[in-house]
Amino acid sequence: MGKLTTHVLDTARGQPAAGMKIELLKEGALLRMITTNADGRGDGPLLEGDAVVEGSYELRFHVADYFRFQGVDSPFLDVVPVCFRMEAGGSYHVPLVCSPWAYSTYRGS
């Protein structure tokens, strides 16, 4: 059974990024919007089962809003887009590791 999950780690503070807004889009259309929990994750998969279909997707991580809430006055990054493709039924974990000035992502397990 396929699924899409994500999580965010705040490397500036050395902890999960709780309270970050994330949007999921498929080919430009908004599918879901979540706010990360205390563990820097959503409360469940963004997509699962039959909802995991082939196509181009984008996760938009609202990094600037998160860091402003943490007291960083002028973050360098605003919204971090991560564009990727998924195959029907596949399992994908797309995390973001970020600070106010840099980010990295990868396909996790």
Side-chain angles (χ1 to χ4, degrees):
M1 182 158 147
K3 66 181 178 177
L4 171 63
T5 58
T6 189
H7 77 275
V8 186
L9 298 174
D10 175 345
T11 59
R13 297 178 351 143
Q15 62 188 39
M20 184 178 292
K21 182 173 122 180
I22 303 171
E23 297 169 316
L24 171 65
L25 297 91
K26 181 177 187 294
E27 297 168 359
L30 182 65
L31 298 180
R32 283 197 66 190
M33 185 174 7
I34 66 164
T35 301
T36 56
N37 61 23
D39 195 33
R41 301 173 184 272
D43 291 328
L46 292 164
L47 295 174
E48 64 182 326
D50 293 339
V52 179
V53 297
E54 182 177 342
S56 297
Y57 292 82
E58 179 179 0
L59 286 170
R60 290 184 185 166
F61 297 87
H62 290 256
V63 173
D65 291 343
Y66 166 79
F67 282 110
R68 280 189 195 104
F69 187 76
Q70 303 305 318
V72 178
D73 290 332
S74 58
F76 171 67
L77 299 171
D78 187 12
V79 176
V80 172
V82 177
C83 302
F84 56 98
R85 291 198 46 81
M86 294 196 322
E87 300 295 324
S91 288
Y92 297 83
H93 182 65
V94 184
L96 187 77
V97 179
C98 64
S99 76
W101 310 279
Y103 68 92
S104 181
T105 189
Y106 55 94
R107 181 176 177 186
S109 56

